[in-house]
Amino acid sequence: MGGTLLACTLGSLITVLILVTTTNAAPTAAQCAANLRIQNWASLGDSYANVVGGGLKDYRNLMESDPCLQGKKPQYLALTDGTIPLVADQAVPKMLRNTNYVTISAGTNDIGLIQILDACVYNFIGSASLNCDQLLANAATFMSSASFASSWDNLLSKTQSVTGPNSGKIHVVGNAAFFADGTPSCSETSLAVYKGQGQQKYLTPTIRKKLNELIHRFNWWQNYLITIYNRAKVPDGNIQQYPVQFIDIDDRFNTHRLCRFGVQGTGSGDTDAWFSTGDGLKTPTTRKTYQDLKSPATCNPNGGWNEYATCRMAKAVQNTAYLTLTNSGSGTTLNNWERIFHPTTQGHNAIREEAVSQIARGPTLSGYNLRILPLGASTTQGFASSDNLGYRKILYDTLRRTNTVTYVGSQGTAPLLHEGHPGWTIKDVDTVSEVSLPARPNVVLIHVGTNDILTNNNLDQAPDRLGALIDHVTRVAPDAVVLVASLVSSRPGAFEKSVTFNARLATVINLRQGAGKKVMRAWMHLTTDDLVDGVHPGDAGYNKMAQAWIQALQRAAARGWIGAPVRV
């Protein structure tokens, strides 16, 4: 198993060799310093970058004592209720000029997460409840807007103006979905602040799925807009030189979400949950109003979290006589409800681990015996590339410098065999996968689903069909690492469908990984500008895909997933 990760030049930094095992050992200060010798670092963002929900420790505090950060204490510049423009205008100007490492958590306030949780979960305003589905649709529309894209570009540009064009690194921390999907747990649990009179909103599988999809969509858009920014800053497509990296934390929460199998409610007894549960919701035993905390006449119903919630509750109780606020005991406060959707210290520790792993990570891995099955449709074949080999040759040539590499498949010629079939759908590929799986690859690269999107092939079920393909692969080759690519298409009407597909695919992958399967998402770092015909990348795009597969392999290796191929 395992070997080393090789570091390359980052700006003016020296190219060195980094030794990293595959046993999940924490990177050392020397390993991290080889990639980024930190001068000063700053922590920007909203409540995710603050101590809300984390008890005494959030990821900033935990990183502060990590050897990877070389004893550097961050500038704490988080704005709990901050939007992306506020962070750009109020926090970035306070950064020290020699700051060359920045963590950013931002954007949920911009998409109206407080209002969405109000409408879908809390019901702060009682009978005048907001429409949950409408707010979710509004958030999806806003994420695809020029305004959202412009705000991210402005924040990243202002931040990079401080870190410098070559020597700095900016990490944007993603979010984790709140709930376990598809479980019966929590179906009769409510976090609504009023009891009785039909005011309860229950955490049914449907509402949990919708809220999880919101977070997955948010993560996808963050990553996509970061890719657009990086593409403009590094036109040659060298991902290792990208100034901004997305820290994907979602799958780290797979066995630690709320409402898991066998866990009823969101009470404080759920010590394995990585979202703070406060006191959760038990049988209401007392009533209290917040009219004494906020004046209904003068408070701001559109303010930050506490102002928003307490003001709306005060107005609702004042205007609707039968509404009474509930809690689960004398110790429950509004802050307990707020904390439920923020990581605990254990969750923040997972964020720390992903961030420092990114700092330590070089451009490739070394010392592995890789038997790889490229599985998919025309992009896997390499259509529209100058040599019709797509990412396969670039990936093969890069990996075999420091590893033993064999491709398997019924298509192509050795050594660049594959199982890529132009025009095929997910179901088609699932059928043909049986041909190559008996070769027992220890790595399977799946890029499929675009043809289902382009033909409108029962798209609501498309992610589940891909889940069935993954199950087929892991059943025949249970030791294999399965990397599943994100999709993008610029054909008319296809782009938004691919966004939805990617958001729902995250749940499919999480369910398998949570069940112990070695399945992981691979972000392809492609934008619509990388596509030569609206579907297929050109040579530059395929080069990015090869680098993206390597990044995903690195994450798998860091988790100790890659074993020697089974003898056949």
Side-chain angles (χ1 to χ4, degrees), residues 4 63 90 96 111 113 148 159 187 199 201 235 256 273 294 319 353 374 390 443 447 483 495 501 508 563:
T4 59
M63 288 177 69
Q90 296 183 17
L96 298 175
I111 67 171
L113 183 59
F148 192 60
T159 303
S187 294
Q199 298 302 319
K201 291 178 177 290
H256 302 282
K294 296 292 178 185
N319 296 332
E353 290 176 348
V443 174
H447 186 287
L483 304 179
F495 180 82
F501 177 86
V508 169

Side-chain angles (χ1 to χ4, degrees), residues 241-358:
Q241 297 297 325
Y242 280 1
V244 187
Q245 293 177 324
F246 178 73
I247 306 297
D248 187 2
I249 65 167
D250 181 55
D251 65 357
R252 293 296 304 274
F253 284 67
N254 274 336
T255 57
H256 302 282
R257 304 187 200 275
L258 301 173
C259 303
R260 303 180 309 287
F261 275 112
V263 179
Q264 294 297 327
T266 62
S268 56
D270 186 7
T271 56
D272 286 333
W274 282 2
F275 288 103
S276 184
T277 56
D279 291 328
L281 182 74
K282 306 171 187 175
T283 302
T285 57
T286 63
R287 304 177 181 183
K288 60 192 292 188
T289 78
Y290 283 85
Q291 286 175 291
D292 58 331
L293 299 181
K294 296 292 178 185
S295 167
T298 61
C299 66
N300 178 13
N302 298 309
W305 175 271
N306 286 318
E307 180 75 13
Y308 172 95
T310 55
C311 184
R312 286 177 179 249
M313 285 190 287
K315 287 178 178 290
V317 173
Q318 178 191 51
N319 296 332
T320 309
Y322 64 78
L323 288 179
T324 53
L325 291 157
T326 73
N327 66 8
S328 60
S330 59
T332 299
T333 67
L334 177 64
N335 198 43
N336 292 129
W337 293 320
E338 177 187 12
R339 287 174 182 269
I340 289 175
F341 296 100
H342 290 80
T344 62
T345 294
Q346 294 95 324
H348 280 290
N349 190 55
I351 298 174
R352 174 196 65 82
E353 290 176 348
E354 288 297 321
V356 299
S357 177
Q358 287 262 20

Side-chain angles (χ1 to χ4, degrees), residues 70-100:
Q70 303 141 42
K72 302 292 185 179
K73 184 173 182 177
Q75 283 183 276
Y76 292 139
L77 299 175
L79 306 170
T80 297
D81 297 317
T83 60
I84 297 170
L86 280 177
V87 174
D89 294 341
Q90 296 183 17
V92 173
K94 298 178 182 178
M95 288 170 55
L96 298 175
R97 298 306 300 178
N98 60 344
T99 297
N100 68 334

Side-chain angles (χ1 to χ4, degrees), residues 46-306:
D46 52 25
S47 56
Y48 235 62
N50 212 328
V51 79
V52 174
L56 298 177
K57 295 285 186 180
D58 58 29
Y59 73 81
R60 305 169 309 162
N61 308 129
L62 295 164
M63 288 177 69
E64 183 181 325
S65 58
D66 192 287
C68 198
L69 274 294
Q70 303 141 42
K72 302 292 185 179
K73 184 173 182 177
Q75 283 183 276
Y76 292 139
L77 299 175
L79 306 170
T80 297
D81 297 317
T83 60
I84 297 170
L86 280 177
V87 174
D89 294 341
Q90 296 183 17
V92 173
K94 298 178 182 178
M95 288 170 55
L96 298 175
R97 298 306 300 178
N98 60 344
T99 297
N100 68 334
Y101 178 59
V102 182
T103 55
I104 301 176
S105 302
T108 55
N109 290 323
D110 302 73
I111 67 171
L113 183 59
I114 296 174
Q115 291 83 359
I116 290 169
L117 292 176
D118 179 2
C120 303
V121 178
Y122 289 127
N123 193 22
F124 291 130
I125 54 177
S127 57
S129 178
L130 300 170
N131 186 299
C132 175
D133 287 337
Q134 184 60 59
L135 288 183
L136 288 168
N138 292 348
T141 299
F142 180 70
M143 282 184 264
S144 66
S145 70
S147 175
F148 192 60
S150 176
S151 65
W152 267 112
D153 183 80
N154 181 54
L155 172 58
L156 296 177
S157 295
K158 288 186 174 182
T159 303
Q160 196 183 5
S161 71
V162 179
T163 63
N166 298 314
S167 60
K169 183 64 66 179
I170 302 167
H171 281 169
V172 175
V173 179
N175 282 46
F178 306 128
F179 302 106
D181 265 319
T183 69
S185 304
C186 292
S187 294
E188 297 182 1
T189 294
S190 175
L191 296 174
V193 297
Y194 306 110
K195 67 178 183 181
Q197 299 291 338
Q199 298 302 319
Q200 300 284 47
K201 291 178 177 290
Y202 293 98
L203 298 177
T204 62
T206 298
I207 196 62
R208 284 183 270 140
K209 183 176 181 178
K210 289 178 179 180
L211 289 172
N212 282 355
E213 185 177 321
L214 168 73
I215 298 301
H216 293 145
R217 184 180 293 268
F218 176 73
N219 284 341
W220 189 90
W221 271 111
Q222 278 189 306
N223 200 340
Y224 188 74
L225 295 175
I226 289 168
T227 300
I228 291 175
Y229 180 86
N230 284 328
R231 191 179 191 275
K233 299 299 179 181
V234 186
D236 68 3
N238 184 350
I239 290 176
Q240 291 299 316
Q241 297 297 325
Y242 280 1
V244 187
Q245 293 177 324
F246 178 73
I247 306 297
D248 187 2
I249 65 167
D250 181 55
D251 65 357
R252 293 296 304 274
F253 284 67
N254 274 336
T255 57
H256 302 282
R257 304 187 200 275
L258 301 173
C259 303
R260 303 180 309 287
F261 275 112
V263 179
Q264 294 297 327
T266 62
S268 56
D270 186 7
T271 56
D272 286 333
W274 282 2
F275 288 103
S276 184
T277 56
D279 291 328
L281 182 74
K282 306 171 187 175
T283 302
T285 57
T286 63
R287 304 177 181 183
K288 60 192 292 188
T289 78
Y290 283 85
Q291 286 175 291
D292 58 331
L293 299 181
K294 296 292 178 185
S295 167
T298 61
C299 66
N300 178 13
N302 298 309
W305 175 271
N306 286 318

